[in-house]
Amino acid sequence: MALFSAEEVALLPVVWPSVDWRAVRTVAAGRRSPLAGLAQAADEYRLLLAGVARIARVGRAAVVQWRRRHPDFPDPVGGTEAHPEFDRSAGVALLLAHDKIEVPVGVPSATLFVAGGAGRRTVRIRLDGPHLVLADHVDGEDVVSGWSTDEDADELVALAAKESGASAGRGDGAPGTAPLAVQGRVRVIERFRAGSGGLR
């Protein structure tokens, strides 16, 4: 199995702009992933000048100019004189070296939908910078951490503290946020930096 660096993983949405990454992140259990439709042929890892332009979000003419100006522009690995093909990883390396693209570092916001027990309403809570912490031991519990508003944090603590508990599920999210799925009951393990909305 191929190993990937954290940078390569972070760059996936940049390097493969043709993939609907929102659909990949939100595909339901048992459904076919959009990634399954990607061809495994070697030519998938080659780029035309237009492909390099698509990754850099510029026009093809700009890439033609870069090819003339930069001596480190990769040599073609295939194609024709009029339509040369370049190795995708070499093209990405060039774009990174010349600051034409950046490695995404931010974690997108997520929307957590929490349904209170005994017919209570569903509460939508926005988490900023959410991340999944995996338990070290098989009997441990995985937890989702993130930052929310003070009001949302208080409401989530109150919902999770009730006898009936609360359950969270997948939702369509809100504008500018990605949906977050957490199966089972929600339990607030701790609030960190009390008063600032940090939750685990």
Side-chain angles (χ1 to χ4, degrees), residues 8 14 35 39-40 52 57 61 66 73 83 92 101 108-109 112 116 118 139 143 162 164 175 178 183 187 192:
E8 288 172 320
V14 177
L35 293 177
Q40 297 299 313
V52 177
R57 297 185 178 205
W66 297 343
F73 201 97
H83 300 286
V92 170
I101 60 172
S109 297
L112 183 68
D139 294 329
V143 296
K162 298 201 178 298
S164 57
Q183 302 304 320
R187 178 167 69 92
F192 40 98

Side-chain angles (χ1 to χ4, degrees), residues 171-191:
D172 289 335
T177 68
L180 178 67
V182 179
Q183 302 304 320
R185 294 199 176 265
V186 171
R187 178 167 69 92
V188 176
I189 295 175
E190 66 173 321
R191 285 189 67 172

Side-chain angles (χ1 to χ4, degrees), residues 67-99:
R67 188 178 180 201
R68 290 182 185 143
R69 290 183 190 153
H70 300 303
D72 58 339
F73 201 97
D75 293 327
V77 293
T80 64
E81 186 70 30
H83 300 286
E85 294 178 335
F86 304 90
D87 178 71
R88 185 180 292 265
S89 59
V92 170
L94 173 93
L95 295 175
L96 284 170
H98 292 277
D99 296 323

